[in-house]
Amino acid sequence: MEEELRTLQENHLYRRIKVIESPQKSHVRYQGRDMLMLASNSYLDLCDEECIKTYVADVLREYGTGSGGSRLTTGTTVLHTKLEERLAQFKGREAAVVFNTGFAANSGIIPALCKKGDIIYSDEKNHASIIDGCRQSAAETVIYRHNDMEDLEKKIQEHPPKSGLIVSDGVFSMDGDIVNLPVLVKLADTYGLLSMIDEAHATGVIGDSGRGCEEYFHMEGKTDILMGTLSKAIGAEGGYVCGPRVLTEYLKNKARSYIFSTSPAPVTMAAAERALKLIEEEPWRVRRLQENTRWFCEKLKEHGISASSESAIVPIRIGDEEKAVRVSERLMEFGYFIPAIRYPTVKKGEAMLRAALMATHTKEELAAAAYAVSSAMNSCGL
Ligand SMILES: *Cc1c(COP(=O)(O)O)cnc(C)c1O
């Protein structure tokens, strides 16, 4: 272990935990200082939202802290089913099922759906939880080039026709780019495969009202399986799957991570449900987030830094791991929280800063942040 940790240190791949001393919001306290948070997945800044906290405090008083069992035994309260109903309605589906986390959802859904003799086509940049889901499945997994639909079709044609799944992130978690959903769905339909999209970074972020990839492409109802998380823009915890009722009933009976794990606490479910309601009632939050992305990319470009994104994630490419860490440390000194992303999260030599925007960042804050990024990069010889 010591040797392995030393190797990580030598390669600038050693991870240290940063301990935050305040709620997760656009400004956080870190090592006693106020920092502008530009790395959080809490894109709509709902973790510390007053109206949600007030509601959840009542739920806490009434329902307490834990759920005492798995969803199939004692762990389903009215708050769990209410959230599932709202999720299904939000995503325009017949039904939804909530898992403990997005990670648990992916690692439960994929092995439950894909058996020995089936085939899974998976994007090379899919999230680790999809990769683990594929590894836990007895089906064959075929990796296609990132968001490359020609490569996907070629790989499908190279394999004998089988039942199975095409699975992709909707918004890719490190690069912030969006899946080519129209072609992916067409290929799935043409070749008799199921389509599954992971909306972790899409829900609450893309589409006019934040409903995700289908809304973004104006192709509502076309994907077979929509999964996502409640831990990012929704500001709570948990994973979910939306689809036809036969799918959700099947998963409740077959997905091991659903069956063999204690269900999330009622307060967590209440927080997620109230957040979804807020997103529907106050669409300006999603619009502000989308405006912020455009603004921040423009400001970076004014400083000669190439940046583009239609999600809340703006990658700033560095390459070298050591330099990425130094730029990030410099930004920390300036009061900006933007950690470096390194191998194994991205490929070796492709280290980057992953800026993540919030609906509540002001234009002034983002303009100043873009300037700080440029100064930090300059001071590291970039
Ligand atoms: C974060 C993430 C997950 C996991 O969700 P959690 O609720 O954090 O476990 C799954 N898929 C993608 C694409 C993610 O970015």
Side-chain angles (χ1 to χ4, degrees):
M1 284 183 269
E2 276 168 6
E3 200 178 300
E4 181 65 24
L5 287 174
R6 221 175 3 257
T7 308
L8 288 176
Q9 248 160 358
E10 281 160 12
N11 295 325
H12 308 283
L13 295 172
Y14 190 91
R15 313 294 187 100
R16 277 187 188 77
I17 302 295
K18 298 185 175 71
V19 182
I20 309 279
E21 300 141 10
S22 70
Q24 185 82 175
K25 53 205 287 191
S26 65
H27 287 258
V28 296
R29 196 170 48 246
Y30 174 65
Q31 298 187 339
R33 289 173 62 202
D34 175 75
M35 310 273 287
L36 190 72
M37 175 50 86
L38 270 166
S40 176
N41 298 325
S42 181
Y43 306 121
L44 296 174
D45 204 0
L46 297 180
C47 291
D48 193 45
E49 178 65 37
E50 278 314 317
C51 69
I52 297 177
K53 289 200 295 183
T54 307
Y55 172 65
V56 170
D58 288 343
V59 172
L60 176 67
R61 237 170 270 122
E62 196 173 345
Y63 287 86
T65 49
S67 72
S70 80
R71 288 293 304 276
L72 294 179
T73 58
T74 66
T76 298
T77 67
V78 289
L79 294 147
H80 294 76
T81 55
K82 195 172 168 196
L83 170 60
E84 288 173 340
E85 280 159 25
R86 186 175 289 280
L87 272 167
Q89 173 240 313
F90 187 78
K91 291 285 183 181
R93 288 302 195 274
E94 201 180 1
V97 53
V98 167
F99 287 71
N100 287 26
T101 64
F103 203 110
N106 276 333
S107 57
I109 302 162
I110 297 172
L113 288 175
C114 299
K115 303 271 185 270
K116 198 169 165 56
D118 294 340
I119 194 157
I120 305 168
Y121 295 95
S122 175
D123 189 292
E124 67 178 334
K125 289 203 176 176
N126 275 345
H127 189 261
S129 56
I130 296 179
I131 298 171
D132 281 20
C134 294
R135 285 182 183 156
Q136 285 169 48
S137 158
E140 180 187 1
T141 302
V142 176
I143 310 294
Y144 61 90
R145 280 208 296 270
H146 174 52
N147 216 4
D148 183 339
M149 294 300 128
E150 275 174 34
D151 188 50
L152 171 58
E153 181 158 30
K154 190 167 136 269
K155 297 238 155 91
I156 295 173
Q157 288 173 346
E158 281 168 7
H159 289 82
K162 284 180 187 171
S163 54
L165 188 68
I166 304 173
V167 57
S168 177
D169 281 17
V171 168
F172 287 86
S173 50
M174 291 302 130
D175 296 294
D177 53 333
I178 300 171
V179 64
N180 186 342
L181 188 64
V183 179
L184 188 147
V185 164
K186 190 163 140 272
L187 290 177
D189 291 345
T190 305
Y191 294 99
L193 298 158
L194 291 173
S195 53
M196 171 170 162
I197 298 296
D198 177 336
E199 301 236 83
H201 301 276
T203 301
V205 178
I206 65 169
D208 287 341
S209 60
R211 281 175 168 73
C213 293
E214 290 190 341
E215 186 182 30
Y216 176 88
F217 286 107
H218 306 291
M219 45 190 296
E220 280 81 357
K222 295 290 192 288
T223 316
D224 295 311
I225 302 160
L226 287 177
M227 73 71 63
T229 176
L230 303 165
S231 65
K232 289 170 182 163
I234 309 296
E237 282 174 349
Y240 62 81
V241 185
C242 298
R245 193 167 300 278
V246 60
L247 171 74
T248 58
E249 287 304 306
Y250 178 85
L251 291 174
K252 287 178 195 173
N253 283 278
K254 293 282 189 180
R256 291 170 65 81
S257 62
Y258 177 87
I259 299 169
F260 296 105
S261 191
T262 299
S263 77
V267 280
T268 312
M269 302 293 92
E273 196 270 331
R274 188 68 187 77
L276 282 167
K277 183 158 176 269
L278 194 66
I279 293 168
E280 291 186 292
E281 286 170 357
E282 299 183 4
W284 62 266
R285 292 170 192 273
V286 171
R287 282 200 296 270
R288 272 275 301 274
L289 177 61
Q290 294 171 351
E291 274 168 34
N292 277 351
T293 301
R294 280 191 290 275
W295 171 261
F296 186 57
C297 289
E298 263 171 47
K299 293 292 131 185
L300 285 171
K301 280 186 211 144
E302 284 172 17
H303 293 292
I305 298 166
S306 81
S308 72
S309 174
E310 286 189 69
S311 66
I313 300 162
V314 180
I316 300 165
R317 317 264 170 209
I318 307 283
D320 181 69
E321 280 80 21
E322 186 186 0
K323 278 193 177 146
V325 172
R326 271 171 47 214
V327 174
S328 167
E329 281 169 0
R330 187 55 56 89
L331 282 164
M332 286 278 184
E333 288 163 23
F334 295 160
Y336 295 92
F337 200 105
I338 318 183
I341 307 288
R342 289 162 281 166
Y343 178 82
T345 312
V346 293
K347 287 186 188 156
K348 278 194 181 139
E350 293 186 12
M352 63 181 210
L353 302 179
R354 174 186 180 275
L357 304 187
M358 287 185 179
T360 48
H361 287 136
T362 67
K363 293 221 159 44
E364 297 71 42
E365 284 169 347
L366 294 175
Y371 176 72
V373 170
S374 131
S375 315
M377 286 175 71
N378 286 339
S379 76
C380 295
L382 289 158

